[in-house]
Amino acid sequence: MDTYLIKGSIGMPRGSLLRVDDGAGVLVHVWQGEVWLTEEGSERDVVLVAGQWVRLERNGAALMHAFQRSVVGLSAAEPWTGARRVLLAQAGASPVVLHRAARTQP
């Protein structure tokens, strides 16, 4: 199975927040550090450490908070299953758009 890279290496300073909008099916891999992840409408939250991964199950907002300096990667099984938008927010700065979907499902 091929995977399509959405964002291969996202540096997250301690305390930063990463938001993935409409990312059902997106694979989140933590390369370094520790993040807390929650998905809109889900009662399940997870804490991921370096080397762990999870596949997002829902559309809506998925939020990741870095407990320490972290690096995460995002990928998808199909080009159109990637997130609609990915934002990184850090204290004292405006959120930065890291990804905006360009493709639609055939």
Side-chain angles (χ1 to χ4, degrees):
M1 176 174 82
D2 291 332
T3 57
Y4 297 88
L5 195 61
I6 297 169
K7 208 66 172 156
S9 182
I10 302 169
M12 297 181 65
R14 180 177 184 256
S16 63
L17 186 71
L18 186 69
R19 178 183 173 130
V20 178
D21 289 321
D22 297 330
V26 167
L27 180 69
V28 176
H29 190 106
V30 178
W31 298 109
Q32 179 182 336
E34 181 179 27
V35 299
W36 164 78
L37 182 141
T38 188
E39 291 186 74
E40 183 177 347
S42 176
E43 295 180 13
R44 180 180 75 108
D45 293 357
V46 295
V47 174
L48 301 166
V49 297
Q52 294 183 318
W53 59 271
V54 67
R55 190 169 303 279
L56 299 180
E57 297 175 351
R58 300 169 173 270
N59 279 319
L63 301 175
M64 286 165 261
H65 172 81
F67 287 132
Q68 57 184 282
R69 186 166 105 35
S70 301
V71 177
V72 301
L74 304 174
S75 61
E78 301 290 341
W80 59 83
T81 59
R84 179 175 53 83
R85 183 177 63 175
V86 178
L87 295 154
L88 179 63
Q90 299 178 49
S94 296
V96 176
V97 176
L98 302 177
H99 168 81
R100 218 179 269 285
R103 300 183 185 198
T104 57
Q105 185 173 359

